[in-house]
Amino acid sequence: MENEQRRISGADEHFNSFATPLLRPEGAKLIVLEGIDLSGRTTQVHLLRDWLSAQKYHVTTTAWRTSPLISDVLARARTKSPLRPLTYSLLYCADHLDRTERVMRPALERGEIVLADRYVYTAFARDEARGLDKQWVRNLYRFTLEPDAVFYLHISPEEAVRRRVALQPRISLEAKPEKHGEKKQKKLLERAATTVQSPALAPQTLESFHDFEMNMYSQYQRMQKEFNFTVVEGDQSIDLVQVTLRRAVLRLLLEPE
Amino acid sequence: MATDLNKQAGNSSFLEPHRYPGRLVAAEGLDGSGKSTQLQLLSFWLRSEGYEVIITEWNSSKLIKRALKAGRKQGVMDTKLLSLLHAADIAEMHQREILPALKRGAVVLADRYIYTALARDLARGVEAEWVQHVYQFAVRPDLGVYFQISAEEALHRASGSHPLLKYEQQAGMDLARQSDPVGSFRSFQQSVLRAYEAMVGRFELFCLDATQPVKQQQRLLRDAVQRVLPGENE
C-alpha cells in the first residue's frame, strides 16, 4: 500500500488519477509488458505465463484490442471503410475498459497474477503520437488500474524494421498461412498480422512502418521515467530476455507487501 | 491533420467557440419533442437563403450497434463503456460529416449532438466530470437548442398506440427492469430531462417550448439561427 502511494505521488503530476487501488488479496499482481511492434512482447508474455503456471501460480493474460466488443467493429473497419483516428482512440479505450472490468479486475480480486500484453501506455503513445491532446487522452483512461510493474522491452525502431524485413519472405511466400501447419511459421505470421494488416511490403510501406515505430519509440522513451518503467533490453535472445524478466517478476512476487 | 485533432481534443473544446467558417446548430431534447420536423423546416429556409445545409442525425449507427450487441451478449454493460461507445460514434460523425462541412462554410443542423449523449450518460449515472471531458473533442455549437417538453408529453407522443413496442427502441432501455419496463423507462426519461435542464444554463442552450404550434416554434428558431449566421456578427 505504501508502495502504491509512493508510486502515485512519484508519477507525473498531470496523471495521478489511476482508479483508487482496490484492496487486492495477497499475491495479486498486475504486470505489464510494453514495447514497440516486434519487440517480442507477446512471446515473452506467453513464456512468462507458462513458467508461472508451472510454478503453480494462477495466471490470467490479456492483450490490447482483444475485447469481443470492438473486434467486430475493427474488423469491419479494416475491410470496409477505415474509421477516423479519434474514433479508434475511443474504441481502444472501450476495449481497455471492457477488459479491465471483465478480465483484469476479477482476476486480481481472485488473487491472481495478471499479465497484460500492452496497457494504457500503448494508447498514450499512439494517441499522443497522432497529435491528440495529452491531458485529454490521459483523462480518458482515468478508470484504469495501476500496474505493480511495467516492463518495457526496448528495441530500436531500426531493429523493428530489421525484424519486419526478416519476417517478410516467409509471409509473401505463403498467401494463406493457415493451410501450412508449421508451428513456428504460424507464430511468426500471427505476430506479423497483429502489426501490419497487409503482407505486401513496398518500400514506402516499410518507410511508414519505420516512421510509425520511430514515433512510438520516442513516446515510450518519454514515458519511461514518468511511469517508472523497468527497461529490459529486447535486442538479445528470447531466452536471455525471459531470464531477465523471470528474475524481476520473482523479486516482485517475493517482496513483502 | 495533427493540429486538427489537437484542436478536437482538449485545446479547443465544446466549451469554447470554434473558428470555422460554417455554423453548427444542434437540436437536443427527448425523443418525440419535434426536433426533426423543425430542422427540416429550417433547412428549407436556409437553402432558400442560399446556404449549403447538411442535416446530421445521431442515433446509434451501425458501427456502435455491432459493439452494443456484442456487449449485451456479455451481460449488463458498464455505463462508462456504453458512454465510450456512444462517444466513438459521435466522434466518427463529427470527423466524417460535421467538421468537413464546417470547414466548407456550410450550415450543419445536428439532429441530436453531444448534449443528448451527455444527458443520457448522466442519467445512467456516469461521472459527470469524466464524461464531459470525453466530449471535449466536439466543436461547440453556435446555437444549441433544447426542445423542452415534459416527460409525460414525450412519452405520449413517442408511444402512440403500442407503447411497449416503441419503448423497446428507445434509449435507456438497457436500464429497464423486466418487471416494469414502462415504469423504468419513465424514470429514465425523468433523469434525462433533469440532465437536460441542468445543461441549459451551463452550456447556454436556447430553450424552446416545444409544446407551441409548429409554426410558432419555427419562427422563434429562425430568429435565433439568424443571429448566428455568417456575416451577422462580423
Side-chain angles (χ1 to χ4, degrees):
Chain A
M1 200 60 188
E2 205 188 301
N3 211 2
E4 297 263 331
Q5 285 300 335
R6 191 148 38 87
R7 210 173 305 122
I8 289 173
S9 57
D12 183 55
E13 56 170 358
H14 298 300
F15 190 53
N16 51 8
S17 44
F18 282 110
T20 332
L22 67 169
L23 281 176
R24 293 176 191 167
E26 205 181 299
K29 294 283 179 213
L30 174 55
I31 299 169
V32 171
L33 266 77
E34 282 279 4
I36 63 175
D37 289 322
L38 302 181
S39 58
R41 252 181 7 256
T42 308
T43 308
Q44 296 296 342
V45 165
H46 290 165
L47 290 170
L48 271 183
R49 177 197 58 199
D50 296 347
W51 170 67
L52 286 166
S53 302
Q55 312 289 312
K56 308 285 177 230
Y57 284 104
H58 291 283
V59 187
T60 293
T61 58
T62 181
W64 192 248
R65 234 169 22 183
T66 54
S67 153
L69 223 62
I70 63 152
S71 55
D72 202 18
V73 178
L74 293 179
R76 276 188 67 88
R78 227 178 354 255
T79 55
K80 296 262 164 78
S81 62
L83 302 167
R84 307 296 153 120
L86 193 60
T87 317
Y88 282 112
S89 107
L90 290 160
L91 288 174
Y92 290 152
C93 184
D95 165 72
H96 186 77
L97 174 62
D98 191 40
R99 290 181 300 107
T100 300
E101 296 308 324
R102 272 172 204 288
V103 180
M104 297 189 249
R105 196 189 293 274
L108 291 172
E109 281 167 356
R110 289 194 300 270
E112 296 184 11
I113 297 170
V114 174
L115 298 175
D117 181 354
R118 292 186 177 281
Y119 204 62
V120 293
Y121 313 103
T122 293
F124 295 170
R126 183 192 167 280
D127 291 349
E128 285 162 33
R130 282 171 199 265
L132 288 169
D133 181 77
K134 181 174 161 183
Q135 277 307 107
W136 183 77
V137 175
R138 294 184 177 194
N139 247 299
L140 207 55
Y141 283 89
R142 217 164 43 183
F143 56 81
T144 206
L145 303 167
E146 185 173 21
D148 294 286
V150 182
F151 296 109
Y152 168 50
L153 290 189
H154 173 273
I155 63 165
S156 67
E158 289 71 30
E159 174 62 17
V161 170
R162 267 195 293 280
R163 292 181 181 190
R164 180 74 184 82
V165 172
L167 282 172
Q168 183 54 24
R170 277 171 269 202
I171 295 169
S172 58
L173 281 174
E174 313 290 350
K176 286 185 179 157
E178 60 277 11
K179 280 186 184 164
H180 307 266
E182 209 192 321
K183 220 178 173 183
K184 194 181 170 192
Q185 188 180 12
K186 206 179 163 200
K187 214 173 182 176
L188 283 166
L189 284 165
E190 273 169 6
R191 207 161 60 166
T194 57
T195 58
V196 239
Q197 269 113 39
S198 156
L201 195 61
Q204 68 262 46
T205 315
L206 203 56
E207 204 182 308
S208 73
F209 176 76
H210 175 266
D211 289 353
F212 179 74
E213 298 306 330
M214 185 70 225
N215 229 329
M216 291 292 281
Y217 179 81
S218 43
Q219 295 291 341
Y220 277 125
Q221 295 296 108
R222 267 224 296 264
M223 284 189 287
Q224 258 183 52
K225 272 217 179 88
E226 188 183 345
F227 295 111
N228 202 12
F229 290 173
T230 303
V231 183
V232 176
E233 185 46 54
D235 194 4
Q236 41 182 352
S237 75
I238 293 178
D239 289 350
L240 271 178
V241 173
Q242 182 65 203
V243 166
T244 314
L245 284 171
R246 286 183 188 177
R247 211 173 282 149
V249 168
L250 215 51
R251 211 175 304 133
L252 184 72
L253 294 176
L254 299 177
E255 93 184 359
E257 304 255 333
Chain B
M1 196 62 183
T3 43
D4 268 354
L5 281 169
N6 204 21
K7 265 188 169 174
Q8 281 175 50
N11 286 1
S12 97
S13 67
F14 72 92
L15 300 173
E16 283 165 44
H18 67 81
R19 293 203 187 113
Y20 300 107
R23 294 293 184 266
L24 173 61
V25 177
E28 316 276 3
L30 293 179
D31 295 343
S33 58
K35 301 181 295 292
S36 311
T37 311
Q38 291 296 334
L39 290 187
Q40 275 296 309
L41 294 171
L42 265 186
S43 74
F44 298 152
W45 169 64
L46 286 166
R47 283 194 185 114
S48 75
E49 297 281 307
Y51 291 98
E52 183 201 345
V53 181
I54 70 158
I55 299 186
T56 63
E57 253 179 282
W58 176 62
N59 213 357
S60 298
S61 71
K62 265 193 203 135
L63 169 87
I64 263 28
K65 277 192 180 132
R66 221 170 287 276
L68 292 176
K69 204 172 150 194
R72 273 194 294 269
K73 262 189 212 152
Q74 298 181 332
V76 181
M77 248 175 131
D78 185 280
T79 50
K80 271 207 292 292
L81 190 53
L82 211 53
S83 172
L84 280 171
L85 292 175
H86 288 141
D89 207 9
I90 291 186
E92 185 64 16
M93 174 181 85
H94 193 265
Q95 295 161 96
R96 192 181 289 276
E97 302 173 50
I98 297 180
L99 273 187
L102 289 178
K103 286 178 189 165
R104 284 202 302 275
V107 178
V108 179
L109 305 178
D111 191 347
R112 291 201 190 84
Y113 191 57
I114 55 169
Y115 305 106
T116 293
L118 279 172
R120 290 178 184 172
D121 286 340
L122 296 173
R124 288 191 183 98
V126 178
E127 188 203 334
E129 198 200 324
W130 180 77
V131 71
Q132 281 177 32
H133 190 90
V134 170
Y135 279 103
Q136 299 254 323
F137 65 81
V139 157
R140 176 188 168 140
D142 300 278
L143 177 68
V145 186
Y146 170 53
F147 287 75
Q148 189 177 38
I149 51 169
S150 68
E152 282 309 311
E153 177 69 17
L155 202 63
H156 177 72
R157 289 193 199 177
S159 60
S161 52
H162 297 287
L164 274 176
L165 277 179
K166 272 286 195 184
Y167 293 149
E168 273 159 20
Q169 297 151 19
Q170 304 278 330
M173 284 315 286
D174 48 305
L175 295 181
R177 293 182 300 271
Q178 288 289 319
S179 56
D180 182 17
V182 181
S184 52
F185 177 68
R186 195 165 293 174
S187 77
F188 176 72
Q189 289 285 76
Q190 288 291 1
S191 316
V192 173
L193 205 67
R194 274 196 299 276
Y196 274 128
E197 308 276 342
M199 278 189 283
V200 166
R202 177 119 208 252
F203 301 121
E204 300 171 318
L205 304 182
F206 174 66
C207 199
L208 186 72
D209 176 1
T211 59
Q212 301 175 88
V214 172
K215 262 190 174 168
Q216 173 66 12
Q217 285 182 54
Q218 184 64 201
R219 198 154 40 230
L220 292 168
L221 257 182
R222 287 183 186 182
D223 283 349
V225 172
Q226 183 85 59
R227 284 194 290 272
V228 301
L229 286 175
E232 292 297 313
N233 287 324
E234 284 108 87

